[in-house]
Each structure stands twice: as structure tokens, then as C-alpha cells.
């Protein structure tokens, strides 16, 4: 059976790898115009944590994010941290606004909700007005390491990579692919005419500050964050909806540096490596479902959509990939039952 995967970001790569790993007999090919290290995901810090997921259900977030967290734990325990770019990181997550659903905190390690006294002290230090906060430990899985690693694993299993922009699903549906996995991210807006897809512009800066060894996330409108990576520190950021500008803006840089330096003043001495802008694939709800099309020759082609992960691509990736595997398994089971009848 021939399977085509559209997209070589973290969602496309994990979906393709999971399919090939669980079904060695499948002929799986990834089609993409861009591969690592030039994907949007390569610019992200790779912190595990649900972010910008709008109306995606609590149950789905827990399921998908939990599977990914458990995968990272396996990597950590079996000595794959270096190859996959994995680190355990202490995190301080604070907010000056009413908190969204936070049931996912049960998935991380050592959660401590800040007391009133601790918040008061922190507010003085940060010159802020936080109303809630949590300490916990979780993973960063840096895409600049993880994406090349999983690409190599996929190819070693017999998977194929083809540099080609798919402009219409019909290109693959009529090309004898029995299953097409649509992981086109923001490209789904044009590929499948999904006008609910919206770019969420994210600008960050990378700096040299090896003395910073913990993460701070301000979960509010200003969205400042400080995320240590292996070789540098990521300072952020913005989440500007329906903004397709890929140019670094001085105004945003100023807000990022001032906000992060207010939390950790020593960052004023940090050397800037580069600033970068990426467009997150925003959607009111992650789309993970199957459609069936009938070709001109009367045969079926199943299209599994897996896109719209907002700012949580790395967080949801493996969980969604396993759902894709389950959908394919059920399709094969149903086709077998029909053929027997």
C-alpha cells in the first residue's frame, strides 16, 4: 500500500515515522517543498507545553500531549537525549490574567502552585502583577536536533523524501496513493481551502547567556518567555494573529528584550546571536480526521488531515501521530472485512 505524507515539519515527520515503524510493509513517501533545517519548527525552542490551541478539547490535549511527554521520558531514560536534543528543564509559568484550562499540569513533574507570598515576592522582582503561577519540570526537545534525527530514522526504515510542492490533493489522489496524510500546516489554507487556518506570527531572539538555566513563561497578552536551549537561550515572543510578515520588527525586538530583561536583568549582558520570525499554523481546533474520496477509476483514496497545532507542534506531535496510525489500522481492517464479504 502506498502512502503519501504532505509536509516535513514535526507533524509530518512524526506521522510518517510512526506509520512506517508500525507498518513496515507500507510504502511511505513524504512530499515537501521545505525540509529541516528550514522548516518553521526549526526556529522554535522545542519546549513541551500546550500553547495557542484555542478550542481544542481538554481530552484531546491530554491524550496527545501525554503520549508525547511519555515518548520524551523514554528517550531520556534510554540515553537518547543527546541525539534528539532533549533536556529536562525547570519551568516557572506565571500569568496576570485568568488562567485557561491547566489540567495538562498533571503530565509534568513536581508541580507546585505558587503561594500568595511567593507571588508577591515575584511581582516585586519582575515589576509585574501576576495572579497565579506554577513551578514544574518538563522537557525541551529542540527541533534542530529532533527533526534530523527522526528524518534519518524514517529513511533507515525505507521511507522516501521527495522535494515537491503539492498544490492540489488530486495530484496524489489520482496517482495511486491509497492513503494521503495531510500535514501541510498553514498550507492547508490553500491546499484544502480551509479558511479557518490563520498565521500566528512569532518573533524570537537567540542570545548567549549560559548562566540562565531555568525557563520563565509569562502566559498573558505580552507573552514574554525565556527558554534555555543547548547552545543558546530563546527570548520571546509574539503571537500576532493573521499577521504574515516574516521580517524582524524593531518594535517587537524592543518589547521582547525589555520584558525578558525585567525578569532576568543579567540578560542585558547577553550577546545576541540572531532574531527570527516564524508563522505558527493557527486554527480554532486541531484537525485530525479522515475523509474518503473516490478516484476516476472508482477506487477509494483516504485522506487523513493532521494540522492546525498552533504553538504546540512538538508537544502534540507524537500523540497525533499515534492517532494517525490507529486510523490507518481501522481503515485496513474495514477494507479487509469488506473484501471478505
Amino acid at each position: 500500500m502506498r502512502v503519501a505524507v504532505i509536509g516535513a515539519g514535526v507533524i509530518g515527520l512524526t506521522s510518517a515515522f510512526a506509520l512506517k515503524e508500525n507498518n513496515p510493509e507500507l510504502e511511505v513517501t513524504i512530499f515537501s517543498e521545505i525540509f529541516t533545517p528550514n522548516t518553521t519548527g526549526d526556529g522554535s525552542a522545542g519546549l513541551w507545553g500546550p500553547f495557542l490551541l484555542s478550542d481544542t478539547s481538554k481530552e484531546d490535549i491530554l491524550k496527545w500531549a501525554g503520549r508525547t511527554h511519555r515518548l520524551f521520558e523514554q528517550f531520556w531514560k534510554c540515553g537518547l537525549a543527546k541525539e534528539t536534543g532533549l533536556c529536562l528543564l525547570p519551568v516557572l509559568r506565571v500569568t496576570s490574567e485568568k488562567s485557561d484550562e491547566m489540567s495538562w499540569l498533571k503530565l509534568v513533574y513536581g508541580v507546585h502552585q505558587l503561594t500568595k507570598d511567593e507571588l508577591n515576592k515575584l511581582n516585586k522582582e519582575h515589576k509585574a502583577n501576576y495572579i497565579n503561577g506554577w513551578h514544574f519540570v518538563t522537557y525541551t526537545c529542540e527541533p534542530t536536533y529532533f527533526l534530523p534525527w527522526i528524518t534519518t530514522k524514517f529513511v533507515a526504515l525505507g521511507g522516501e523524501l521527495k522535494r515537491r510542492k503539492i498544490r492540489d490533493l488530486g495530484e496524489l489522489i489520482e496517482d495511486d496513493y491509497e492513503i494521503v496524510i495531510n500535514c501541510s500546516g498553514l498550507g492547508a489554507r490553500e491546499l484544502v481551502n480551509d479558511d479557518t487556518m490563520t498565521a500566528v506570527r512569532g518573533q524570537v531572539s537567540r542570545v548567549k547567556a549560559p548562566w540562565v538555566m531555568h525557563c520563565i513563561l509569562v502566559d498573558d497578552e505580552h507573552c514574554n518567555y525565556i527558554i534555555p536551549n543547548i547552545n543558546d537561550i530563546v527570548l520571546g515572543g509574539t503571537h500576532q494573529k493573521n499577521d504574515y510578515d516574516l521580517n524582524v520588527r524593531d518594535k517587537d525586538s524592543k518589547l521582547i528584550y525589555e520584558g525578558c530583561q525585567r525578569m532576568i536583568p543579567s540578560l542585558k549582558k547577553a550577546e545576541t546571536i540572531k532574531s527570527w520570525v516564524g508563522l505558527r499554523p493557527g486554527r480554532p481546533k486541531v484537525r485530525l480526521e479522515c475523509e474518503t474520496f473516490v478516484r476516476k477509476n472508482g477506487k477509494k483514496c483516504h485522506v487523513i488531515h493532521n494540522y492546525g497545532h498552533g504553538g504546540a507542534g512538538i508537544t502534540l506531535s507524537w500523540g497525533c501521530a499515534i492517532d494517525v496510525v490507529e486510523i490507518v489500522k481501522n481503515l485496513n481492517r474495514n477494507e479487509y472485512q469488506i473484501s471478505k464479504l
Side-chain angles (χ1 to χ4, degrees):
M1 180 180 289
R2 300 175 73 212
V3 179
V5 178
I6 304 172
V10 67
I11 300 300
L13 281 169
T14 50
S15 296
F17 174 73
L19 271 174
K20 189 64 179 172
E21 184 180 46
N22 286 276
N23 305 275
E25 73 284 359
L26 294 180
E27 297 178 29
V28 184
T29 303
I30 297 176
F31 291 89
S32 182
E33 189 179 23
I34 299 172
F35 290 87
T36 185
N38 300 310
T39 71
T40 299
D42 283 285
S44 69
L47 179 69
W48 183 98
F51 184 56
L52 296 176
L53 288 171
S54 299
D55 297 328
T56 303
S57 73
K58 174 183 69 176
E59 291 76 20
D60 282 339
I61 291 173
L62 284 173
K63 177 176 71 170
W64 296 330
R67 285 174 178 166
T68 307
H69 201 271
R70 289 189 290 275
L71 176 72
F72 291 166
E73 186 176 65
Q74 290 175 24
F75 286 166
W76 183 264
K77 289 180 176 180
C78 68
L80 285 173
K82 182 178 179 181
E83 292 90 333
T84 58
L86 195 71
C87 291
L88 263 177
L89 192 69
V91 178
L92 169 64
R93 184 167 181 150
V94 290
T95 180
S96 56
E97 301 172 354
K98 184 179 179 181
S99 302
D100 292 330
E101 169 59 46
M102 300 285 283
S103 59
W104 56 266
L105 281 170
K106 68 179 70 173
L107 300 172
V108 298
Y109 309 123
V111 178
H112 165 68
Q113 187 168 7
L114 299 188
T115 65
K116 188 174 181 179
D117 287 343
E118 289 169 332
L119 281 170
N120 289 338
K121 181 180 178 183
L122 199 60
N123 281 327
K124 289 179 182 178
E125 291 177 1
H126 290 186
K127 300 179 178 63
N129 294 293
Y130 306 138
I131 62 173
N132 216 337
W134 301 264
H135 277 297
F136 55 88
V137 175
T138 189
Y139 298 98
T140 50
C141 185
E142 296 179 36
T144 51
Y145 289 83
F146 181 62
L147 297 186
W149 179 83
I150 200 168
T151 299
T152 300
K153 292 293 182 182
F154 170 69
V155 172
L157 290 173
E160 289 190 75
L161 307 175
K162 290 191 177 181
R163 193 176 296 276
R164 172 180 158 192
K165 183 177 178 62
I166 304 299
R167 301 181 184 277
D168 190 309
L169 287 179
E171 296 176 37
L172 300 174
I173 291 174
E174 295 298 334
D175 195 21
D176 284 338
Y177 283 96
E178 288 95 335
I179 296 175
V180 176
I181 316 296
N182 174 21
C183 304
S184 56
L186 192 57
R189 185 175 178 86
E190 294 181 3
L191 182 64
V192 293
N193 298 313
D194 188 342
D195 58 9
T196 68
M197 286 297 300
T198 304
V200 183
R201 181 180 178 274
Q203 180 172 319
V204 300
S205 289
R206 288 183 177 267
V207 302
K208 283 284 185 184
W211 59 89
V212 176
M213 303 180 71
H214 67 285
C215 170
I216 302 177
L217 297 172
V218 182
D219 192 7
D220 62 18
E221 186 59 32
H222 296 295
C223 197
N224 280 124
Y225 51 81
I226 301 164
I227 305 175
N229 272 186
I230 294 170
N231 297 313
D232 50 36
I233 309 294
V234 180
L235 307 182
T238 66
H239 56 281
Q240 296 148 332
K241 294 183 179 180
N242 204 28
D243 190 334
Y244 290 79
D245 183 10
L246 287 170
N247 295 305
V248 173
R249 297 175 186 161
D250 291 341
K251 180 181 178 182
D252 290 331
S253 294
K254 185 173 184 291
L255 289 172
I256 289 169
Y257 282 107
E258 287 181 351
C260 293
Q261 290 169 3
R262 188 172 59 251
M263 294 185 287
I264 302 181
S266 62
L267 286 171
K268 294 175 183 177
K269 299 179 181 179
E271 173 193 350
T272 298
I273 300 170
K274 69 174 181 178
S275 294
W276 176 86
V277 175
L279 304 180
R280 305 178 184 96
R283 195 173 188 274
K285 183 180 180 181
V286 173
R287 187 182 186 191
L288 183 44
E289 61 183 0
C290 183
E291 282 188 291
T292 300
F293 295 84
V294 179
R295 299 193 190 97
K296 294 175 183 177
N297 62 10
K299 294 184 178 180
K300 292 180 180 179
C301 175
H302 305 288
V303 176
I304 301 171
H305 300 285
N306 184 16
Y307 65 84
H309 298 78
I314 197 79
T315 303
L316 305 183
S317 59
W318 190 248
C320 290
I322 296 303
D323 266 17
V324 168
V325 172
E326 290 298 318
I327 291 171
V328 171
K329 182 190 295 183
N330 289 334
L331 287 173
N332 289 339
R333 183 185 298 119
N334 291 339
E335 293 292 339
Y336 173 73
Q337 290 174 345
I338 290 172
S339 64
K340 281 189 69 176
L341 291 172

